[in-house]
């Protein structure tokens, strides 16, 4: 064998290995820088007062209370709407229709297309349908319904995957005991698929929690100095409040924006942690 | 307890009712699509009764809220394309590189660290990337090139690229993992290096899915909103200079919604005309991505 060529090939391999390692390191370094940037600018502004105060013209007095409560309201309603709709659609597609049937194919392609529609377009849909046509005005309800449509494809697809993973033998065992289809679904299929469904749903809902664009379209305001008391109240949410602060020129507002980001990220990461724990538990049971 | 036929009949009715209810849930997704199309096209149609399609597509001035009004969408389109191309320069090579590393080179332990990092990056809201672009990337760009404006396309592009990188990495990795190991082992048996296996066996075999991942990432970049609304600026000017303030289609949509616009006004229709353009562009790219996958589906 030609030793020179052999060495050249191996040098190429080592060079390429280094290059790929650099690609990976890029992501890790960026994540580190991003967390550092947010913590170093925001941590000093984050205290209990910040969490329990209303927004204000004065950055040292401003807080995130109304946005936090608004986010909890909006996301709570979104979860309440999107879970039954998404799981129901998945059950219908997986248990009641033949995967080769026309209706199944149409809904499937449709869901795939909806998943690729930009979030802001859902905002326009919400503006035209929920805010104007249904006259919900700029309310929590309009925002939650908009977010529901946005994450519905994600929840549906995740639930379908979870339902597909239920072994056929379990279904057949259930039928052999004389149960009806519905009894098999509620007694066997759904309990077995539930951790998978919940993992997907939590990830989708945490995505909804970070969305600002569609809620700006349906009119979540940047400045709300009262707490919402019902679904028809006007509202703001954490990402919209953060956007409002970020777009002001003063450095103090930039800093409280990053304090707000810390609050948002803590919420999101704890939701993700729950999803990961659920997934691990689920995987262990499968093995 | 024995079941009477009456009980059975009631049971069957219940089953049928549930099936119909679930069917109506599935119909919600169809209704969503129908509503999106009807609303976007309806308002856009009304828009084109007041503004000529020719002016919209070829005009180079975008001043829909200022007198004299002008509705040339080119500045917004060029702005959007700059973000799409700029972010691809970050997300495609780095995402593909990460995917090759994960599927061909990485030790199991490395994977266990890197995968969660990518998952966390993918889960960070775009508003946070926007903040990062404005307060971290832009100052760095300004130190390197002092002419850089506070709001600029380059900073937003880099942030959008970072945001779409995990998606490129995970879709490409899935594609490469789907290549059967026997093909790889065959190449190794012939004395190939890892680089040769990746470059001459795995990547060519996974090429179509990788291409689809690229198209999907670009489509995501086109629809990305908050990063560009924060960091790219609000100046719809026709420029190709990435260090200048620009405006994208999504940036315009956010900007105009921050004011209270009334239904029926030309502003409202303009919003929907731009939204339709955005919807059609992203839909087209998603259809292309799916067509690529469908056409080249390899069966091993």
């Amino acid at each position: 064998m030609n030793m020179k060529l052999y060495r050249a090939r191996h040098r190429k391999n080592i060079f390429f290995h280094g290059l790929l390692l650099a690609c990976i390191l890029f992501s890790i370094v960026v994540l580190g820088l991003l967390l550092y940037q947010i913590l170093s600018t925001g941590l000093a502004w984050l205290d209990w007062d910040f969490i329990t105060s209303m927004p204000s013209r004065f950055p040292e007095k401003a807080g995130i209370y109304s946005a936090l409560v608004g986010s909890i309201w909006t996301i709570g309603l979104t979860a309440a709407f999107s879970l039954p709709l998404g799981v129901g659609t998945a059950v219908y597609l997986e248990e009641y229709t033949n995967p080769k049937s026309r209706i199944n194919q149409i809904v499937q392609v449709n869901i795939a297309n909806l998943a690729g529609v930009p979030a802001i377009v859902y905002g326009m849909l919400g503006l035209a349908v929920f805010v104007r046509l249904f006259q919900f005005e700029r309310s929590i309800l309009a925002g939650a319904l908009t977010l529901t449509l946005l994450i519905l494809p994600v929840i549906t697809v995740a639930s379908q995957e979870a339902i597909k993973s239920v072994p056929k033998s379990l279904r057949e065992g259930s039928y052999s005991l004389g149960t009806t289809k519905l009894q098999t679904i509620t007694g066997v299929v759904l309990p077995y698929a539930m951790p998978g469904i919940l993992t997907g749903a939590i990830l989708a809902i945490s995505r909804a929690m970070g969305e600002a664009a569609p809620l700006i379209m349906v009119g979540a305001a940047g400045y709300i100095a009262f707490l919402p008391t019902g679904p028809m109240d006007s509202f703001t949410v954490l990402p919209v409040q953060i956007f409002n602060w970020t777009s002001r020129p003063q450095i103090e507002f930039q800093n409280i924006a990053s304090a707000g980001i810390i609050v948002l990220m803590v919420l999101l990461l704890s939701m993700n942690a729950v999803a990961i724990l659920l997934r691990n538990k689920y995987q262990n049971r499968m093995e | 307890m024995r079941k009477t036929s009456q009980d059975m009949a009631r049971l069957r009715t219940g089953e049928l009712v549930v099936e119909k209810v679930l069917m109506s849930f599935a119909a919600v997704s169809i209704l969503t699509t129908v509503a999106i199309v009807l609303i976007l096209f309806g308002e856009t149609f009304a828009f084109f009764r007041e503004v000529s399609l020719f002016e919209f597509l070829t005009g180079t001035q975008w001043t829909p809220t200022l007198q004299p009004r002008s509705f040339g969408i080119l500045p917004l389109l060029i702005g959007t394309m700059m973000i799409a191309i700029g972010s691809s320069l970050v997300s495609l090579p780095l995402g593909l590189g990460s995917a090759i590393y994960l599927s061909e080179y990485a030790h199991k332990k490395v994977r266990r660290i890197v995968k969660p990092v990518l998952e966390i990056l993918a889960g960070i809201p775009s508003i946070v990337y926007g903040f990062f672009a404005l307060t971290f990337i832009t100052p760095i760009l300004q130190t390197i090139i002092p002419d850089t404006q506070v709001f600029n396309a380059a900073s937003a592009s880099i942030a959008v690229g970072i945001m779409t990188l995990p998606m490129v990495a995970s879709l490409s990795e899935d594609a490469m993992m789907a290549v059967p190991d026997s093909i790889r082992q065959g190449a190794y048996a012939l004395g190939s290096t890892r680089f040769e296996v990746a470059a001459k066996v795995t990547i060519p075999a996974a090429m179509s899915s990788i291409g689809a991942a690229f198209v999907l990432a670009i489509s995501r970049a086109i629809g990305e909103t908050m990063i560009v609304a924060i960091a790219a600026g609000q100046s719809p000017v026709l420029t190709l200079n990435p260090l200048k303030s620009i405006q994208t289609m999504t940036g315009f949509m956010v900007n105009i919604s921050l004011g209270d616009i009334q239904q029926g006004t030309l502003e409202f229709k303009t919003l929907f005309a731009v939204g339709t353009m955005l919807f059609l562009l992203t839909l087209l790219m998603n259809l292309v991505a799916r067509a690529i996958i469908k056409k080249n589906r390899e069966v091993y």
Side-chain angles (χ1 to χ4, degrees):
Chain A
M1 196 196 278
N2 186 338
M3 275 317 273
K4 227 173 169 178
L5 181 66
Y6 178 78
R7 281 209 201 93
R9 283 172 55 214
H10 277 261
R11 264 203 303 279
K12 212 184 206 174
N13 183 41
I14 289 167
F15 172 74
F16 202 62
H17 192 157
L19 207 65
L20 295 176
L21 201 60
C23 291
I24 288 284
L25 283 176
F26 176 83
S27 293
I28 298 175
V29 169
V30 163
L31 182 62
L33 287 174
L34 191 138
L35 294 178
Y36 172 77
Q37 168 73 4
I38 288 160
L39 290 174
S40 68
T41 53
L43 215 47
W45 293 76
L46 184 66
D47 52 18
W48 192 243
D49 275 349
F50 177 74
I51 292 172
T52 56
S53 301
M54 295 291 174
S56 159
R57 281 189 295 133
F58 308 104
E60 59 276 11
K61 282 190 197 158
I64 205 148
Y65 197 29
S66 57
L68 190 60
V69 175
S71 268
I72 292 169
W73 262 102
T74 315
I75 294 308
L77 280 180
T78 304
F81 296 143
S82 59
L83 260 176
L85 274 177
V87 177
T89 305
V91 167
Y92 183 72
L93 290 176
E94 293 301 317
E95 301 289 323
Y96 285 93
T97 61
N98 182 332
K100 291 215 167 68
S101 71
R102 190 156 223 194
I103 178 154
N104 187 302
Q105 301 272 321
I106 291 173
V107 177
Q108 213 77 264
V109 167
N110 182 54
I111 288 173
N113 279 331
L114 281 178
V117 173
I120 195 163
V121 173
Y122 284 95
M124 308 184 68
L125 176 69
L127 174 65
V129 174
F130 303 128
V131 178
R132 313 273 183 195
L133 189 66
F134 293 175
Q135 308 257 307
F136 293 157
E137 300 299 324
R138 307 173 149 221
S139 63
I140 292 174
L141 183 64
L145 287 169
T146 306
L147 290 181
T148 298
L149 296 184
L150 172 70
I151 62 172
L152 205 49
V154 188
I155 295 192
T156 306
V157 171
S159 307
Q160 278 182 280
E161 292 302 321
I163 291 171
K164 269 186 199 142
S165 75
V166 180
K168 214 170 174 198
S169 55
L170 283 183
R171 281 195 189 87
E172 271 155 20
S174 166
Y175 283 132
S176 73
L177 297 173
T179 60
T180 64
K181 186 163 201 160
L182 187 58
Q183 285 166 337
T184 300
I185 291 170
T186 55
V188 176
V189 176
L190 282 182
Y192 193 94
M194 204 39 87
I197 292 176
L198 286 180
T199 309
I202 293 172
L203 290 178
I205 288 163
S206 68
R207 182 184 155 202
M209 191 156 199
E211 283 289 351
L215 292 179
I216 290 174
M217 304 294 291
V218 297
Y223 181 83
I224 290 279
F226 56 85
L227 294 186
T229 55
M232 298 314 285
D233 282 355
S234 57
F235 71 115
T236 189
V237 290
L238 289 170
V240 174
Q241 180 69 69
I242 293 165
F243 172 63
N244 178 287
W245 283 332
T246 308
S247 45
R248 296 189 198 194
Q250 300 96 320
I251 183 82
E252 290 83 5
F253 276 111
Q254 307 273 329
N255 290 341
I256 57 172
S258 75
I261 288 175
I262 296 175
V263 174
L264 178 65
M265 298 269 282
V266 166
L267 284 174
L268 290 180
L269 288 178
S270 11
M271 285 170 82
N272 284 1
V274 171
I276 290 168
L277 284 177
L278 267 173
R279 184 172 63 188
N280 288 349
K281 209 176 155 193
Y282 179 54
Q283 272 169 349
N284 289 342
R285 197 184 58 182
M286 291 293 285
E287 280 156 11
Chain B
M1 195 171 65
R2 264 184 52 203
K3 280 196 173 138
T4 63
S5 60
Q6 216 177 3
D7 283 338
M8 291 300 282
R10 203 179 303 135
L11 207 59
R12 218 172 295 134
T13 328
E15 298 263 326
L16 276 176
V17 169
V18 169
E19 181 173 350
K20 293 294 169 220
V21 168
L22 292 178
M23 196 168 122
S24 69
F25 285 2
V28 169
S29 89
I30 304 275
L31 279 179
T32 307
T33 307
V34 173
I36 289 177
V37 171
L38 279 183
I39 286 158
L40 286 180
F41 287 24
E43 294 287 344
T44 305
F45 186 72
F47 173 79
F48 284 121
R49 291 228 294 243
E50 294 179 48
V51 176
S52 85
L53 181 63
F54 184 75
E55 182 197 340
F56 185 68
L57 291 179
T58 61
T60 56
Q61 295 282 325
W62 181 258
T63 51
T65 53
L66 301 169
Q67 295 294 347
R69 289 183 176 198
S70 182
F71 295 92
I73 201 176
L74 275 181
L76 297 185
L77 260 184
I78 300 285
T80 302
M81 286 309 141
M82 267 164 78
I83 300 287
I85 292 168
S87 67
S88 308
L89 294 178
V90 176
S91 67
L92 305 190
L94 289 172
L96 181 60
S98 306
I100 298 172
Y101 187 80
L102 286 174
S103 90
E104 306 299 314
Y105 282 80
H107 194 268
K108 247 189 186 165
K109 278 182 192 154
V110 180
R111 282 178 60 90
R112 225 174 281 160
I113 302 169
V114 174
K115 290 286 274 187
V117 168
L118 288 175
E119 276 172 28
I120 292 174
L121 276 178
I124 292 176
S126 64
I127 181 97
V128 179
Y129 284 112
F131 177 84
F132 185 62
L134 184 66
T135 62
F136 191 84
I137 301 175
T138 301
I140 290 179
L141 289 177
Q142 283 176 320
T143 351
I144 301 170
I145 312 162
D147 287 352
T148 312
Q149 295 182 346
V150 175
F151 301 107
N152 64 77
S155 171
S157 297
I158 294 171
V160 174
I162 293 169
M163 199 187 91
T164 44
L165 189 160
M167 182 182 152
V168 177
S170 105
L171 289 176
S172 309
E173 194 207 343
D174 288 348
M176 284 188 270
M177 291 297 237
V179 176
D181 228 19
S182 57
I183 300 185
R184 262 186 217 107
Q185 301 301 346
Y188 281 127
L190 294 173
S192 309
T193 63
R194 275 183 194 276
F195 168 67
E196 285 158 351
V197 172
K200 293 179 184 163
V201 177
T202 321
I203 296 176
M207 203 56 225
S208 64
S209 302
I210 294 173
F214 283 8
V215 178
L216 287 177
I218 297 169
S219 163
R220 267 283 290 283
I222 290 175
E224 172 41 47
T225 306
M226 294 322 289
I227 297 175
V228 292
I230 291 173
Q234 284 130 27
S235 338
V237 284
L238 204 56
T239 174
L240 287 174
N241 182 350
L243 302 174
K244 277 194 163 165
S245 172
I246 56 150
Q247 189 168 46
T248 64
M249 295 191 283
T250 53
F252 164 76
M253 290 162 72
V254 165
N255 204 23
I256 199 167
S257 329
L258 289 173
D260 188 19
I261 44 165
Q262 294 304 314
Q263 192 166 13
T265 58
L266 191 53
E267 280 89 354
F268 191 83
K269 291 170 195 161
T270 311
L271 172 65
F272 281 77
V274 176
T276 305
M277 194 78 177
L278 176 72
F279 174 71
L280 289 178
L281 258 179
T282 51
L283 180 68
L284 183 74
M285 302 198 71
N286 292 335
L287 291 178
V288 166
R290 274 226 307 288
I292 296 175
I293 294 175
K294 208 170 173 186
K295 193 172 165 223
N296 297 298
R297 183 166 288 154
E298 293 269 1
V299 184
Y300 294 109

